[in-house]
Amino acid sequence: MLKGKKIVLGITGSIAAYKACLIIRELVKAGAEVQVVITPAGKEFITPITLSALTQKPVISDFFSQRDGTWHSHVALGLWADAMLIAPCTASTLGKMANGIADNMLITTYLSMKAPVFVAPAMDLDMYAHPTTQQNLERLRSFGNQIIEPQSGFLASGLEGKGRMEEPEVIVDCINRFFESKETLSGKQIMITAGPTYEKIDPVRFIGNYSSGKMGFALAEECARRGAEVTLIAGPVALQTTHPRIHRIDVESCEEMYQAATSHFKTSNAAILCAAVADFKAERIATEKIKREEDDLVLRLQPTHDIAAQLGKQKQQHQVLVGFALETNDEQANAQHKLERKNLDFIVLNSLRNEGTCFQSDENQISIISKTGQKDFGKKSKHEVAADIVDELAKLL
């Protein structure tokens, strides 16, 4: 899939810069044309002569390489490329990308890029784990960038931990798979629910849960990236969408999500029900704030709509319905029962026993259960998990 593709490779000032040679070799072997853009700090780790020999192209580092008026156009590079890969990408470059600080040729090229951008971070474990770095990564994801997660291993500092740039062959495979899957869902209408629902008790209080919506939003981005028109029905979350093929509907309660889901499912080829919908709501919503007049407050609750079960009844032969199960015990048995009872094509199982996954986390660990069997996956970023789920969906569509 890389044959004939034009790739801009950005290299920054990291000890992992030597691996850029291996990335170039893999891309060129696959038939791609590679143009290197390197930061001044990157040239301290690897020479432009080496990179130019591998790409058969002059390496671009500065805006002006001559004194004769010629200059390198970052705009032209942004129009030329089929993809941009920044590997290795330092914490400094991540920060500049996330905040639009265009003080070198690489960042101006990134800001002008019309093609998909892949980012392979490389840094020491404490730098990678720092809240600022994580916030910058999440912001870049929200812009539509593809983050190729670093791995845990032995680092240049002598320490061990997460921050080691992913291996070159894996990075190139990520780009190859992107082009393979780019339009696999073209023409499909996919509905996705995401986030929590809030069920009011009074004007200032509600029944809710800890869902951040990250998994559902990652699924929406992945489906849109593969060519689908996505209707994203989102509960109250603080996330943003950027892809033009995502049509967002914001709701608050289960009732609102139910009305939107049952309406839009009729014209959908598939639905992924990722939202953590509250199972109960207050029987009576107080019109004024409930005062603390007694030590005990008794709330009478009643069930909310079972959206998955209702869509399972509505489902036509040409439609695919995917559910989620978050369990704390007897995970497989509970998920299997839900699969059958709600007429799902497959169900994504999460367990709260897997630490660092599920609510609020940037990572997840899932099993996909269908009528034909079960697939178990390791712990990954939610964006990688989304790709695994959409792979299964694409097979059915």
Side-chain angles (χ1 to χ4, degrees):
M1 294 302 297
L2 289 172
K3 187 173 182 179
K5 293 292 189 293
K6 300 177 176 67
I7 311 293
V8 171
L9 174 61
I11 302 173
T12 68
S14 163
I15 189 64
Y18 77 91
K19 292 185 179 180
C21 294
L22 303 176
I23 293 173
I24 293 169
R25 185 177 68 177
E26 293 295 321
L27 289 171
V28 171
K29 279 172 60 179
E33 187 178 347
V34 182
Q35 173 63 66
V36 171
V37 179
I38 191 169
T39 65
K43 292 190 289 185
E44 299 295 325
F45 290 88
I46 189 167
T47 68
I49 292 175
T50 301
L51 300 167
S52 180
L54 292 169
T55 62
Q56 300 296 302
K57 286 179 176 290
V59 170
I60 298 174
S61 179
D62 301 310
F63 296 103
F64 312 102
S65 58
Q66 305 289 336
R67 297 289 183 180
D68 60 0
T70 59
W71 64 293
H72 294 122
S73 172
H74 51 90
V75 176
L77 283 171
L79 294 170
W80 173 82
D82 294 302
M84 182 177 189
L85 166 64
I86 304 175
C89 186
T90 60
S92 174
T93 297
L94 282 174
K96 291 178 181 180
M97 291 168 67
N99 293 282
I101 301 174
D103 65 349
N104 61 47
M105 186 67 187
L106 192 154
I107 301 299
T108 56
T109 301
Y110 161 71
L111 292 174
S112 300
M113 188 56 55
K114 302 294 186 184
V117 178
F118 298 80
V119 183
M123 63 199 74
D124 209 57
L125 73 164
D126 293 320
M127 295 178 72
Y128 181 74
H130 196 279
T132 302
T133 302
Q134 292 302 309
Q135 186 178 59
N136 287 335
L137 284 167
E138 196 55 41
R139 191 172 192 192
L140 289 175
R141 284 192 185 97
S142 75
F143 296 161
N145 296 289
Q146 309 290 315
I147 307 299
I148 302 173
E149 291 282 328
Q151 298 302 305
S152 294
F154 186 76
L155 304 170
S157 63
L159 302 174
E160 286 197 43
K162 188 168 184 179
R164 180 187 179 92
M165 189 179 82
E166 182 60 274
E167 294 305 313
E169 61 271 19
V170 177
I171 292 173
V172 174
D173 184 59
C174 285
I175 300 173
N176 188 60
R177 284 192 289 109
F178 170 83
F179 285 111
E180 281 182 344
S181 64
K182 188 174 181 183
E183 296 295 328
T184 54
L185 296 179
S186 180
K188 302 298 183 184
Q189 301 282 337
I190 298 179
M191 185 189 78
I192 298 173
T193 65
T197 64
Y198 289 173
E199 311 302 328
K200 287 184 177 181
I201 297 171
D202 64 18
V204 298
R205 301 182 182 92
F206 60 86
I207 300 168
N209 56 63
Y210 296 113
S211 175
S212 64
K214 290 178 181 179
M215 190 70 252
F217 275 62
L219 284 163
E221 292 289 343
E222 184 67 20
C223 287
R225 184 178 68 77
R226 299 195 192 194
E229 293 293 331
V230 178
T231 299
L232 176 62
I233 303 171
V237 297
L239 302 176
Q240 300 297 319
T241 56
T242 57
H243 202 291
R245 283 198 287 264
I246 297 176
H247 312 285
R248 179 171 175 173
I249 300 171
D250 288 309
V251 299
E252 180 178 87
S253 67
C254 174
E255 178 65 35
E256 292 171 341
M257 186 170 284
Y258 174 83
Q259 294 298 334
T262 52
S263 172
H264 286 276
F265 185 58
K266 296 173 185 176
T267 56
S268 298
N269 298 103
I272 306 175
L273 306 180
C274 188
V277 182
D279 293 318
F280 295 94
K281 63 181 180 180
E283 191 175 84
R284 185 182 69 86
I285 301 172
T287 56
E288 297 179 349
K289 180 181 176 182
I290 300 172
K291 301 298 183 182
R292 185 173 178 173
E293 297 174 348
E294 299 179 4
D295 290 336
D296 297 320
L297 173 65
V298 177
L299 288 176
R300 293 189 61 84
L301 304 178
Q302 62 185 34
T304 56
H305 292 290
D306 190 331
I307 296 174
Q310 181 59 37
L311 296 188
K313 293 176 184 177
Q314 285 183 217
K315 189 176 73 166
Q316 302 297 308
Q317 190 171 0
H318 70 280
Q319 293 179 303
V320 176
L321 188 58
V322 178
F324 270 68
L326 176 61
E327 303 293 342
T328 59
N329 62 287
D330 299 327
E331 288 93 336
Q332 282 76 17
N334 287 332
Q336 186 70 43
H337 179 60
K338 187 174 183 179
L339 172 78
E340 296 166 359
R341 181 166 49 89
K342 301 192 179 184
N343 193 25
L344 305 173
D345 290 280
F346 68 84
I347 192 165
V348 180
L349 171 62
N350 307 275
S351 175
L352 281 177
R353 291 200 239 187
N354 296 326
E355 293 186 11
T357 66
C358 303
F359 290 137
Q360 305 293 328
S361 174
D362 292 323
E363 296 182 310
N364 205 349
Q365 185 172 345
I366 66 164
S367 296
I368 293 179
I369 300 173
S370 67
K371 296 179 177 68
T372 58
Q374 177 172 327
K375 290 184 180 180
D376 299 317
F377 297 84
K379 188 176 180 180
K380 303 178 181 181
S381 74
K382 287 184 174 177
H383 292 270
E384 292 173 302
V385 171
D388 290 333
I389 295 170
V390 177
D391 283 344
E392 294 300 312
L393 175 63
K395 293 174 187 176
L396 298 179
L397 288 174

